Amino acid sequence: MRRLRRENLRSLFRESRLRIEDLIVPIFVDETAKGKREIPSMPGYYRLPIEEVAKEIGECMDLGLKAFIFFGIPKKKDEVGSEAFNNDGVVQKAVRIAKKEFPDSVVITDVCLCEYTSHGHCGIVKNGRILNDETLPILGKIAISHAKAGADIVAPSGMMDGMVKSIRVALDGEGFSEVAIMSYSAKFASNFYSPFREAAESGYKFGDRKTYQMDFHNSDEALREIELDINEGADIVMVKPALAYLDVIRRAKERFLVPLTAYNVSGEYSMVKSAIEKGWLSEEIVYEILVAIKRAGADLIITYHAKEVAEHL
Ligand code: PBG
């Protein structure tokens, strides 16, 4: 077996490859921020005021990164997350700028309520319960406002049943049949999201997300979630988190012939970054991890490491 591992031959026989085009860059746009602000639990990652968005996207485009997923931190929150579907909201503004300055960029928007609701849940709340069907029309409104701003792809992340179909119908009804849907289909109720909740100020005031996000003991169920989303019209499906869920990524890839995204989430980033900062792990571990996610079967990866890896590639 060592014959093909010789220095000059080795790269010819690589089975998996990581391309810059496989990476999607998360962008946090903060309506309350004056300048660029580092996220304490995510060393090297920032929340950007709207005015900084074009510069950031430009830097990424120069590195060959062309796909972005936008998250917003609004000035005000309320019970129903009205800012999420405000045509002049923080994400809508950022998307307009991105598409105007960089028409070739691929703009994806996270469609969810948790950053916009006062209680921090991903759906409408009544008597301490998160309501499914009442939330769906709001998700449709958010998706339409993102499409109007110029989003290429909308990405519902709230794990409400029927969200993909509602959004598809809503978009088509407004003439946005070309806007694609990337669904966070198999999103687990995970401990790996806590740095994101600080980054996006989307922590919840009561309870947890276990009535809508998936139980991490299950992977058959993840396949059922993905199948439902495909049947409802998802163009791209997602498994999230990535690293502790490579088995789910692999099963999904073997079973479904649709593009599959893996989300290398905030906690995975923070874990690796802090160990690198301490000098306990080398930076090369980032590339190894992303290749592993590709090898498991992901087509695309959303990752906070995108810029550093693009430089390396
Ligand atoms: C919103 C959302 C979350 C993430 C992406 N979209 C957090 C959550 O469900 O609490 C997590 C991303 C990350 O941890 O990097 N529903």
Side-chain angles (χ1 to χ4, degrees):
M1 295 306 291
R2 295 185 54 193
R3 220 171 281 133
L4 302 187
R5 286 183 203 149
R6 283 161 56 200
E7 182 84 51
N8 59 334
L9 273 70
R10 209 184 296 149
S11 69
L12 264 61
F13 303 101
R14 290 200 169 142
E15 299 167 33
S16 319
R17 300 201 189 245
L18 181 66
R19 305 174 310 159
I20 295 182
E21 295 86 344
D22 300 331
L23 306 175
I24 301 171
V25 188
I27 304 272
F28 294 109
V29 198
D30 186 349
E31 206 173 15
T32 69
K34 290 270 175 329
K36 208 171 148 172
R37 276 203 279 171
E38 191 169 21
I39 301 153
S41 55
M42 299 178 72
Y45 224 79
Y46 297 82
R47 292 195 200 179
L48 308 173
I50 294 167
E51 311 78 67
E52 294 269 342
V53 168
K55 181 165 168 265
E56 181 64 28
I57 296 205
E59 281 175 31
C60 291
M61 299 280 289
D62 287 343
L63 288 166
L65 295 160
K66 60 179 290 199
F68 304 87
I69 181 160
F70 285 82
F71 299 94
I73 299 113
K75 255 198 208 117
K76 29 178 222 289
K77 308 194 184 212
D78 61 24
E79 281 286 301
V80 294
S82 328
E83 276 301 301
F85 50 84
N86 176 353
N87 284 326
D88 228 4
V90 58
V91 161
Q92 290 80 355
K93 277 187 193 145
V95 167
R96 268 190 212 103
I97 292 171
K99 287 309 282 191
K100 181 165 168 270
E101 305 271 330
F102 305 99
D104 295 337
S105 63
V106 177
V107 168
I108 308 169
T109 54
D110 187 79
V111 174
C112 196
L113 282 177
C114 61
E115 296 127 71
Y116 303 90
T117 48
S118 40
H119 44 73
H121 277 291
C122 305
I124 296 298
V125 170
K126 202 169 178 191
N127 301 327
R129 296 180 57 196
I130 290 93
L131 305 179
N132 194 87
D133 295 6
E134 288 76 356
T135 301
L136 299 178
I138 303 182
L139 299 180
K141 275 163 73 171
I142 301 173
I144 289 168
S145 76
H146 290 174
K148 278 185 184 153
D152 299 293
I153 303 175
V154 294
S157 66
M159 289 296 280
M160 295 295 123
D161 290 331
M163 65 183 184
V164 173
K165 186 171 175 205
S166 312
I167 289 174
R168 188 68 273 159
V169 169
L171 287 173
D172 291 353
E174 293 288 316
F176 293 113
S177 55
E178 282 190 5
V179 172
I181 299 175
M182 174 167 82
S183 180
Y184 287 66
S185 307
K187 175 174 178 180
F188 289 85
S190 167
N191 295 295
F192 283 104
Y193 307 148
S194 28
F196 175 93
R197 290 175 189 162
E198 183 186 334
E201 281 179 15
S202 64
Y204 36 82
K205 296 276 185 323
F206 68 90
D208 55 38
R209 301 215 203 282
K210 291 181 184 159
T211 67
Y212 42 107
Q213 298 182 349
M214 274 191 60
D215 183 334
F216 57 71
H217 298 82
N218 302 344
S219 78
D220 287 350
E221 186 189 352
L223 301 182
R224 291 203 295 280
E225 281 280 10
I226 292 170
E227 185 170 29
L228 280 165
D229 280 359
I230 293 170
N231 292 338
E232 287 180 29
D235 302 283
I236 308 150
V237 295
M238 196 195 298
V239 172
K240 175 185 170 188
L243 253 199
Y245 298 82
L246 295 180
D247 58 319
V248 181
I249 294 173
R250 163 57 44 172
R251 288 189 75 189
K253 191 59 200 174
E254 278 173 357
R255 187 150 180 140
F256 304 109
L257 302 175
V258 297
L260 174 64
T261 299
Y263 198 142
N264 175 219
V265 301
S266 57
E268 301 174 61
Y269 172 85
S270 303
M271 232 165 35
V272 165
K273 273 286 175 184
S274 54
I276 293 173
E277 276 189 352
K278 285 191 179 255
W280 292 347
L281 292 172
S282 94
E283 274 170 355
E284 282 171 44
I285 199 160
V286 171
Y287 177 71
E288 179 180 340
I289 286 171
L290 296 177
V291 169
I293 296 170
K294 288 282 300 189
R295 194 185 61 233
D299 298 297
L300 300 173
I301 306 173
I302 302 174
T303 179
Y304 305 97
H305 294 295
K307 268 173 113 178
E308 50 185 307
V309 169
E311 274 164 29
H312 172 86
L313 290 174

